[in-house]
Amino acid sequence: DAGVTQSPTHLIKTRGQHVTLRCSPISGHKSVSWYQQVLGQGPQFIFQYYEKEERGRGNFPDRFSARQFPNYSSELNVNALLLGDSALYLCASSLVGPTNEKLFFGSGTQLSVL
Amino acid sequence: RKEVEQDPGPFNVPEGATVAFNCTYSNSASQSFFWYRQDCRKEPKLLMSVYSSGNEDGRFTAQLNRASQYISLLIRDSKLSDSATYLCVVIGSGTYKYIFGTGTRLKVLA
């Protein structure tokens, strides 16, 4: 079975542009969450979706938005990119909702903002 | 104060050594705890869950101390392949937010 898949793997953008990152969870997993990982830091929680509803949001500006589709795949959108948005963006899926559910991560999208 | 704190290391240890990492958390209502392993430029992968009674998986032992609000990971008989960053994860009660520590870097030397 395929694991969590993310696309694209790498992306280069310039300040002010918009970006869309995509994630397909493990088959049967209904929950998807997004994390931002800056070099040298642990992943920071951005969003969690379960059954197409937002269940949690981290401390990120409104430039960050996400959605989950009926097939449980998800998109993360970031508007008006800043240099500080350069990071590895990780998507994770889990079987049901949160709370002591194990997360399975995709290999991430490396975003560079110039 | 950070919600989850780890010593970033690096911990440089010889093969065969025993090494232990601690991770402290600030929210006493936290309910679930995990250790993840992350290799350089790769995604985090679940190493083990941490249970109140403590748990062991081969050379790895995880402990939870609720009174002092920390979790620990002990690695016995270190292998070169154990070299990685170890991330602790805490989930608060009734939240959907997985909080990661900054990670502790381990390098096992031949």
Side-chain angles (χ1 to χ4, degrees):
Chain A
D1 282 344
V4 178
T5 57
Q6 290 187 244
S7 63
T9 55
H10 295 83
L11 204 50
I12 299 174
K13 292 284 190 179
T14 56
R15 280 179 299 174
Q17 285 189 311
H18 160 269
V19 68
T20 297
L21 310 181
R22 296 179 174 85
C23 171
S24 293
I26 291 171
S27 177
H29 285 196
K30 297 181 179 181
S31 179
V32 169
S33 47
W34 288 94
Y35 291 80
Q36 180 196 66
Q37 187 173 25
V38 175
L39 197 63
Q41 300 292 318
Q44 297 294 307
F45 173 76
I46 309 176
F47 287 108
Q48 195 205 33
Y49 278 78
Y50 175 64
E51 288 282 14
K52 293 154 285 190
E53 288 190 9
E54 182 184 302
R55 289 299 182 94
R57 172 185 285 255
N59 189 23
F60 279 81
D62 292 343
R63 299 184 296 107
F64 289 76
S65 63
R67 55 181 176 166
Q68 187 177 32
F69 299 100
N71 66 354
Y72 303 110
S73 67
S74 178
E75 280 182 358
L76 175 70
N77 294 284
V78 187
N79 292 324
L81 285 166
L82 303 174
L83 296 179
D85 295 331
S86 296
L88 179 66
Y89 287 85
L90 294 160
C91 172
S93 77
S94 57
L95 193 55
V96 286
T99 63
N100 72 355
E101 276 295 321
K102 298 165 188 175
L103 296 180
F104 296 87
F105 284 89
S107 53
T109 295
Q110 184 65 56
L111 173 65
S112 299
V113 182
L114 305 179
Chain B
R1 182 186 171 188
K2 288 185 179 178
E3 292 177 276
V4 176
E5 292 199 71
Q6 292 183 254
D7 181 343
F11 284 60
N12 295 323
V13 302
E15 265 187 298
T18 295
V19 62
F21 311 132
N22 278 349
C23 168
T24 59
Y25 60 95
S26 59
N27 184 352
S28 60
S30 298
Q31 289 293 315
S32 300
F33 309 88
F34 301 93
W35 283 102
Y36 277 73
R37 169 195 168 126
Q38 186 172 28
D39 293 291
C40 190
R41 300 182 185 277
K42 300 282 190 181
E43 73 274 20
K45 292 185 178 176
L46 178 67
L47 181 65
M48 57 198 304
S49 304
V50 187
Y51 303 117
S52 296
S53 54
N55 47 299
E56 190 173 305
D57 183 2
R59 298 182 292 109
F60 298 84
T61 300
Q63 296 275 356
L64 167 63
N65 185 317
R66 286 194 183 273
S68 300
Q69 294 181 208
Y70 75 84
I71 64 173
S72 64
L73 177 68
L74 181 79
I75 305 175
R76 289 181 298 277
D77 188 24
S78 299
K79 312 289 184 193
L80 294 175
S81 57
D82 293 334
S83 298
T85 296
Y86 291 84
L87 299 158
C88 72
V89 183
V90 174
I91 306 170
S93 172
T95 77
Y96 300 84
K97 188 176 166 183
Y98 290 63
I99 305 168
F100 283 77
T102 53
T104 297
R105 210 151 49 94
L106 171 67
K107 190 167 184 180
V108 181
L109 307 170

